[in-house]
Amino acid sequence: EADIYQTPRYLVIGTGKKITLECSQTMGHDKMYWYQQDPGMELHLIHYSYGVNSTEKGDLSSESTVSRIRTEHFPLTLESARPSHTSQYLCASSEGGRGVTEAFFGQGTRLTVV
Amino acid sequence: GNSVTQMEGPVTLSEEAFLTINCTYTATGYPSLFWYVQYPGEGLQLLLKATKADDKGSNKGFEATYRKETTSFHLEKGSVQVSDSAVYFCALSDRGNGQNFVFGPGTRLSVLP
């Protein structure tokens, strides 16, 4: 069973508020990812990290920011939420190194900005 | 760049029917291939994987074979159940792509009793 946790599961927040979505994993994985999932189901990579102090932007431009101060923690922050940020956000992790292993996903945070 | 294409849904089947969801990929290197499943309101779970050509991944009655010659990784199940209703994602991970995962658009499966 995957040990990767996201909080909150659901969040409804007003426009202009600052929010942080939490993601933690207990597997010691070096790589972590944030995906945005649109209503049509497609996943879009918005941020990833190779390890502590490493953050990279993904394929989809996002106004969110991330940090990686500890291996197990990869929070995503929106400084000023807008209705266009309404979506499902999925966090994932995988082992680093040369071998390829699967990604483990959290249960997701469904964000609604009103 | 790397990409994954999978058959568009939704797919609706009766219980005990045979399932095939087609998946083809484009990759510059030697990718590993995966099928993930997403149940309503949940994150993605790994269903099966294959790491090299001709490998067959299998789990819970689902199977997929890594076909390098046709760049395909089709998902099959001989007899689906109502509980298999979910969204299925084909994905690849390629060391040449920094091992970032590339996902297909997903195929929604509904199984009717």
Side-chain angles (χ1 to χ4, degrees):
Chain A
E1 186 159 324
D3 296 313
I4 179 164
Y5 307 100
Q6 291 185 241
T7 57
R9 289 290 308 276
Y10 304 93
L11 179 62
V12 180
I13 201 162
T15 297
K17 299 292 187 183
K18 178 180 178 178
I19 58 169
T20 296
L21 308 185
E22 302 288 349
C23 176
S24 294
Q25 51 95 5
T26 58
M27 297 172 281
H29 286 168
D30 287 325
K31 286 203 77 174
M32 296 190 73
Y33 315 80
W34 276 103
Y35 291 88
Q36 186 172 337
Q37 186 173 30
D38 61 27
M41 307 177 302
E42 195 156 351
L43 294 163
H44 302 284
L45 180 67
I46 51 175
H47 298 283
Y48 62 100
S49 166
Y50 288 107
V52 171
N53 293 327
S54 154
T55 60
E56 305 285 344
K57 290 191 180 295
D59 306 320
L60 181 68
S61 176
S62 173
E63 293 165 347
S64 58
T65 59
V66 292
S67 62
R68 189 89 183 275
I69 298 171
R70 304 197 312 269
T71 297
E72 62 270 22
H73 195 214
F74 192 41
L76 180 144
T77 297
L78 277 165
E79 290 292 334
S80 179
R82 293 211 295 266
S84 60
H85 296 138
T86 295
S87 190
Q88 165 104 317
Y89 292 85
L90 294 171
C91 180
S93 71
S94 68
E95 293 182 16
R98 293 180 58 80
V100 176
T101 63
E102 63 264 34
F104 294 86
F105 282 81
Q107 291 189 298
T109 294
R110 183 163 296 282
L111 172 66
T112 303
V113 183
V114 297
Chain B
N2 295 344
S3 66
V4 174
T5 303
Q6 58 183 108
M7 66 187 287
E8 291 192 21
V11 174
T12 303
L13 296 173
S14 297
E15 206 165 22
E16 299 183 2
F18 184 85
L19 168 71
T20 299
I21 301 179
N22 290 338
C23 171
T24 57
Y25 68 90
T26 302
T28 53
Y30 301 95
S32 292
L33 303 174
F34 307 87
W35 276 101
Y36 281 85
V37 58
Q38 185 178 31
Y39 298 103
E42 301 293 323
L44 276 68
Q45 303 173 24
L46 179 70
L47 183 59
L48 51 86
K49 68 178 180 181
T51 57
K52 62 182 187 298
D54 299 325
D55 270 2
K56 178 188 281 188
S58 61
N59 185 26
K60 299 181 181 179
F62 291 90
E63 292 183 340
T65 301
Y66 189 143
R67 301 283 187 204
K68 191 166 185 286
E69 64 276 13
T70 55
T71 62
S72 65
F73 193 53
H74 305 321
L75 182 68
E76 295 181 336
K77 187 175 185 183
S79 175
V80 293
Q81 306 300 312
V82 172
S83 57
D84 293 327
S85 298
V87 180
Y88 292 82
F89 292 90
C90 185
L92 69 82
S93 180
D94 183 358
R95 283 179 221 166
N97 190 36
Q99 297 190 30
N100 281 348
F101 292 83
V102 177
F103 288 87
T107 302
R108 185 179 301 278
L109 170 67
S110 295
V111 180
L112 305 178

